[in-house]
Amino acid sequence: MAVTSVQQNQIRDIVLTHAHLDHIAGLPLFIDDLFSTLTEPIRVYGPGTVIETLERDVFNWSVYPRFSELSNSHGPVLEYKVFDPGESLRIKHLSFRSIAVNHNVPSAGYVVSDGSATIAVSGDTAEMDGFWSSINSYSGMSAILIECAFPNELDDLARISHHLTPKRLGSELAKCSIGTGCPFYIINMKPMYRDTIVGQVASLGLPNVQPLEVGRVYEWETGTPLKSLNDIP
C-alpha cells in the first residue's frame, strides 16, 4: 500500500480482492501507523472468506495484533464489512458490485461507478466467464483493469497459480463485447517481467490496451478511447 501522508489521513475504507500477501501486506502497517490518531475505524471490505483468512493468518496475535479487538481513545480502530461476490454496496460516493473471479484462493473483481464513469477491476485471475458476462451487461464502460502477471514463457506457472499471460489475456479480451472504445489497462504484472509482458501484449496488436502506470492519477469519462499500446512511446 503506497500512499502519501495526505492520502493516509483521508483513507478509511479499503476494499480487498483477496488475501494473498502482495495484496494485503501494507494493511497491518497502515492501521498500526494510524492507531493512536484514528477518530473512526478503518473499514475493510471483502468476501467473508478473505476476512476469515485475515483474522486467522494475519491479525491473529502471532503475526500481528488483532486490531478488530482493540480500541484507542476514540473507539474501535478496525471494522470488517463482509462483501461477497454477487452483492452490491455503496461506499461514500462510489457504488461497488462484487464479481467472483478465477484465482487459486477465493477472490473478487469489482465494477466501480461514481454515477458518471464506470470501471471494472479483475484483481488476480485466470480465465473466467462470469466476470465477462457481468461486464458485457454494462453500457458505456469507462475502463477495464485486467491482470497479466507472467510472460508467455512462464505459461505453466501462470496456469498453476491461476494468472494470465499475454496470450491468455488476448483470449480473455475476445470475450468482451462492449465495443472498441473502452480502454483496457494491464495491472498486477510481476515487476521483473514487466517489460517482457508489455512487449508481448504489444505484439498482439490489440486496440486500446496499455499498462497502468504506478503513481499516475487517472480520470476516466464514459466512452473515452485511448491509443493502442503500440502507439504509446
Side-chain angles (χ1 to χ4, degrees):
M1 181 180 294
V3 296
T4 66
S5 58
V6 172
Q7 291 169 332
Q8 185 182 47
N9 288 319
Q10 293 175 335
I11 294 171
R12 294 297 178 266
D13 298 275
I14 298 172
V15 182
L16 300 176
T17 58
H18 63 295
H20 275 161
L21 188 61
D22 55 326
H23 290 259
I24 59 93
L27 182 60
L29 300 178
F30 180 78
I31 301 171
D32 195 14
D33 200 30
L34 293 172
F35 185 93
S36 63
T37 61
L38 287 169
T39 58
E40 60 180 305
I42 301 295
R43 293 171 289 272
V44 174
Y45 302 78
T49 50
V50 171
I51 290 172
E52 290 170 7
T53 299
L54 288 178
E55 285 286 278
R56 183 187 68 235
D57 299 329
V58 180
F59 298 117
N60 58 8
W61 293 112
S62 294
V63 175
Y64 229 78
R66 181 162 284 149
F67 286 122
S68 61
E69 297 178 355
L70 299 178
S71 299
N72 64 14
S73 60
H74 299 284
V77 297
L78 173 61
E79 187 175 277
Y80 291 118
K81 302 284 188 180
V82 174
F83 184 24
D84 286 320
E87 296 181 344
S88 296
L89 184 68
R90 190 165 187 86
I91 305 174
K92 303 247 166 105
H93 67 293
L94 298 175
S95 62
F96 289 77
R97 179 182 177 191
S98 179
I99 306 170
V101 296
N102 178 22
H103 201 33
N104 58 352
V105 296
S107 303
Y110 296 99
V111 174
V112 187
S113 178
D114 65 356
S116 176
T118 301
I119 68 169
V121 183
S122 72
D124 283 356
T125 188
E127 290 83 356
M128 52 189 174
D129 293 321
F131 179 84
W132 296 114
S133 295
S134 295
I135 297 306
N136 291 336
S137 69
Y138 285 83
S139 60
M141 183 70 68
S142 308
I144 297 175
L145 283 60
I146 183 165
E147 82 120 82
C148 190
F150 291 108
N152 291 327
E153 293 79 4
L154 295 178
D155 186 73
D156 286 345
L157 178 58
R159 176 178 52 80
I160 292 170
S161 59
H162 287 70
H163 284 290
L164 295 176
T165 63
K167 183 178 179 180
R168 292 172 181 268
L169 174 66
S171 298
E172 287 303 291
L173 296 188
K175 300 176 184 178
C176 184
S177 62
I178 62 175
T180 58
C182 178
F184 297 90
Y185 292 88
I186 308 167
I187 60 172
N188 297 357
M189 292 177 280
K190 300 298 182 183
M192 70 179 298
Y193 304 118
R194 187 182 192 280
D195 291 344
T196 301
I197 293 169
V198 170
Q200 290 178 349
V201 172
S203 70
L204 297 175
L206 299 169
N208 290 339
V209 179
Q210 64 177 280
L212 192 77
E213 299 176 26
V214 176
R216 176 180 170 184
V217 176
Y218 288 82
E219 294 184 6
W220 289 296
E221 297 178 359
T222 301
T224 302
L226 296 178
K227 297 179 180 179
S228 72
L229 191 144
N230 288 312
D231 297 326
I232 301 298

